[in-house]
Amino acid sequence: EDVEWSRSPRQAAQVGLEWLQSSALRWQRYNGCYGCHVQGQALMGMSIVQDSGYRVNEAVLEELADFVRGAQAKDGSWHDQEQLTATQFAAMGLAWVGRDGAASSDRELQDALSLLLKKQSASGEFPVDMNEVPIAQGSMMTTSNSLFALRMGSGLKTGAADGAAGDAAFQWILQGSVDTTQDAAMQLLAISREAPALPLKTVRMKQLLGLQREDGGWKEAPRASGSGTFSTGQVLYALKLSGQQVGSAEFGAGVRFL
């Protein structure tokens, strides 16, 4: 039976964080391997909430990060197959851990970026080589995450080899096909970080807000049967970074859905 949710959004986020920490570590210890988005997404989430005053288990964060580093191959990659997708998740996670400036001297991250640069296409795209809906689908995700890792790893500088690669990746993101909610969210995140004054940012924000359903959530793709927690959380995160007010009716409806 449906009951009224009694926690505040912040309390709910703390409970979600505690699940994320324990679940990711349990998965890692049980399987004994690097799980692409498992550790990378957990490191991202834990790093974000660290900056917002939530209670983060530092020992868990360190164990996850150390395991990721230890699972890296000599060529800078992760996994024998689907290397680009696996590597960009790891690079994104390590970039978040080193967001205070340590990323530019992180050896494992730098090796990962070297591998990613070798796999970047002439168009600037970091092509996705894994299809595990909803999280691993489409090159907008891999290119946006790789761009973030490149910028963090180079100290947000442009002009160098990795800077030029990042610039090319951003141009591809601006022109790339937007087919899913994740595509739109990832494009919006990249624009908000790289060039927040671009008119396309406002266009994409309005488009995403227009796709919000009556229950407050967002579908993962047009063909989905209903709203999803993954897509809703991702859209709210992208909207927040792009400047959407958390006190707006649309944002509140999305939070209540979650």
Side-chain angles (χ1 to χ4, degrees):
E1 181 181 359
D2 290 337
V3 295
E4 187 69 23
W5 184 248
S6 59
R7 290 188 175 118
S8 71
R10 189 172 182 87
Q11 288 171 324
Q14 181 66 49
V15 173
L17 166 64
E18 290 165 6
W19 178 88
L20 177 68
Q21 294 174 144
S22 61
S23 178
L25 187 61
R26 186 183 305 114
W27 189 96
Q28 176 174 284
R29 288 177 174 177
Y30 178 81
N31 291 280
C33 69
Y34 167 69
C36 290
H37 58 273
V38 176
Q39 289 96 339
Q41 293 291 147
L43 290 173
M44 175 187 178
M46 294 172 72
S47 298
I48 289 172
V49 298
Q50 264 187 328
D51 296 338
S52 301
Y54 287 88
R55 299 187 304 275
V56 175
N57 189 320
E58 300 288 346
V60 172
L61 191 152
E62 183 176 354
E63 185 170 342
L64 290 172
D66 286 348
F67 189 94
V68 171
R69 297 180 192 284
Q72 187 178 33
K74 291 183 179 180
D75 66 355
S77 69
W78 280 265
H79 280 204
D80 296 331
Q81 298 177 338
E82 301 163 335
Q83 284 186 330
L84 191 147
T85 301
T87 302
Q88 59 87 34
F89 272 125
M92 180 270 294
L94 292 177
W96 271 103
V97 173
R99 66 197 178 285
D100 59 354
S104 59
S105 58
D106 185 324
R107 180 178 62 82
E108 289 82 8
L109 174 58
Q110 295 302 321
D111 289 346
L113 295 178
S114 295
L115 185 281
L116 289 174
L117 288 173
K118 293 176 183 177
K119 292 183 175 293
Q120 186 179 26
S121 69
S123 66
E125 173 191 14
F126 289 89
V128 66
D129 53 6
M130 178 190 294
N131 183 33
E132 290 189 7
V133 176
I135 194 165
Q137 58 173 332
S139 294
M140 194 66 74
M141 178 269 296
T142 49
T143 305
S144 181
N145 280 344
S146 296
L147 173 58
F148 172 76
L150 280 167
R151 295 305 196 208
M152 290 294 104
S154 62
L156 297 178
K157 297 176 182 178
T158 59
D162 52 356
D167 295 343
F170 183 54
Q171 290 305 310
W172 183 90
I173 288 171
L174 294 178
Q175 300 165 20
S177 176
V178 176
D179 301 315
T180 65
T181 304
Q182 177 169 261
D183 286 344
M186 285 294 181
Q187 186 189 61
L188 181 56
L189 282 172
I191 294 172
S192 298
R193 290 167 175 156
E194 293 279 315
L198 280 181
L200 181 57
K201 188 188 83 167
T202 301
V203 171
R204 191 62 72 213
M205 287 177 68
K206 289 182 177 179
Q207 180 192 25
L208 281 170
L209 289 171
L211 293 173
Q212 189 173 27
R213 292 166 55 80
E214 291 184 2
D215 59 10
W218 278 263
K219 287 184 175 184
E220 291 169 0
R223 65 182 179 277
S225 60
S227 301
T229 52
F230 176 84
S231 51
T232 299
Q234 200 168 49
V235 167
L236 289 178
Y237 177 62
L239 288 173
K240 173 65 169 59
L241 262 64
S242 64
Q244 179 71 19
Q245 296 297 310
V246 297
S248 67
E250 296 89 346
F251 202 94
V255 170
R256 286 191 293 275
F257 172 82
L258 291 178

